[in-house]
Amino acid sequence: DTAVSQTPKYLVTQMGNDKSIKCEQNLGHDTMYWYKQDSKKFLKIMFSYNNKELIINETVPNRFSPKSPDKAHLNLHINSLELGDSAVYFCASSQFRGTSTDTQYFGPGTRLTVL
Amino acid sequence: DAKTTQPNSMESNEEEPVHLPCNHSTISGTDYIHWYRQLPSQGPEYVIHGLTSNVNNRMASLAIAEDRKSSTLILHRATLRDAAVYYCILRGYNTDKLIFGTGTRLQVFP
């Protein structure tokens, strides 16, 4: 019973294409996140959603558009892929928003390679 | 956001205790100290967190200096499975996001 799952695990695509990464959590959490880990292993938050509402948008290019059809899902759509988008993308969830103590649960990651 | 400083890497032998240090001299009074770790090819996972007092859980212990400018994550008996990058993160009051630094890569030898 995977708590936070992502599909696909690997994604290889050409520059200029549009792709989506899906994330689902079965923990009943209200808040979901997307993080990006670049080639130097630096992890940085991109977005967070609470009950389908965008809470955090960390100056991510407009080509990235998160979509939350319901509070258990947060998908990431990327338009016009660029070489620099190659990274591992992690989805995460937490029970509440706006707390300093809540634990975030991470998915296994999606490795995106743009050729 | 307050910054943390950790050694780039540390080594340990299996079944020995490991003390992973973290400096956070600019910590504010409402910042919680969180530790996450990332095993190879996996997403980060929560280890422990604390505010002022030392904390214990089944994974580790967290020792927090009296002035809160540093803390130490203690793994009481390292196993090969504990080889990971350990991140010390300060989480501000009512803050959702985790700000990851470069972390400490822990190697555990049999």
Side-chain angles (χ1 to χ4, degrees), chain B residues 10-67:
Chain B
M10 291 187 66
E11 297 177 354
S12 174
N13 293 319
E14 215 175 357
E15 298 192 6
E16 288 184 356
V18 181
H19 291 233
L20 298 165
C22 181
N23 287 322
H24 28 78
S25 58
T26 59
I27 191 170
S28 74
T30 54
D31 285 344
Y32 277 80
I33 302 160
H34 286 249
W35 285 81
Y36 279 72
R37 72 179 185 180
Q38 188 173 18
L39 302 173
S41 301
Q42 294 190 28
E45 66 174 344
Y46 168 80
V47 178
I48 202 166
H49 76 272
L51 183 62
T52 56
S53 304
N54 294 343
V55 184
N56 300 298
N57 66 21
R58 63 174 181 80
M59 286 181 74
S61 296
L62 177 60
I64 301 173
E66 202 169 326
D67 63 6

Side-chain angles (χ1 to χ4, degrees), chain B residues 68-89:
Chain B
R68 301 211 324 127
K69 294 188 176 187
S70 65
S71 60
T72 303
L73 179 71
I74 303 165
L75 307 179
H76 295 284
R77 289 182 68 203
T79 69
L80 296 178
R81 197 194 172 274
D82 291 321
V85 178
Y86 287 77
Y87 296 97
C88 169
I89 299 167

Side-chain angles (χ1 to χ4, degrees), chain A residues 4-5 11 20 28-30 33 35 40-41 48 52-54 63 65-66 69 73 83-84 89 91 99 107:
Chain A
V4 181
S5 59
L11 186 52
S20 292
H29 288 169
D30 286 344
Y33 311 81
Y35 287 82
K40 295 184 179 177
K41 304 292 187 181
S48 88
K52 303 195 300 176
E53 180 189 351
L54 179 66
R63 298 182 296 102
S65 53
H73 296 84
L83 292 176
Y89 292 84
C91 178
T99 70

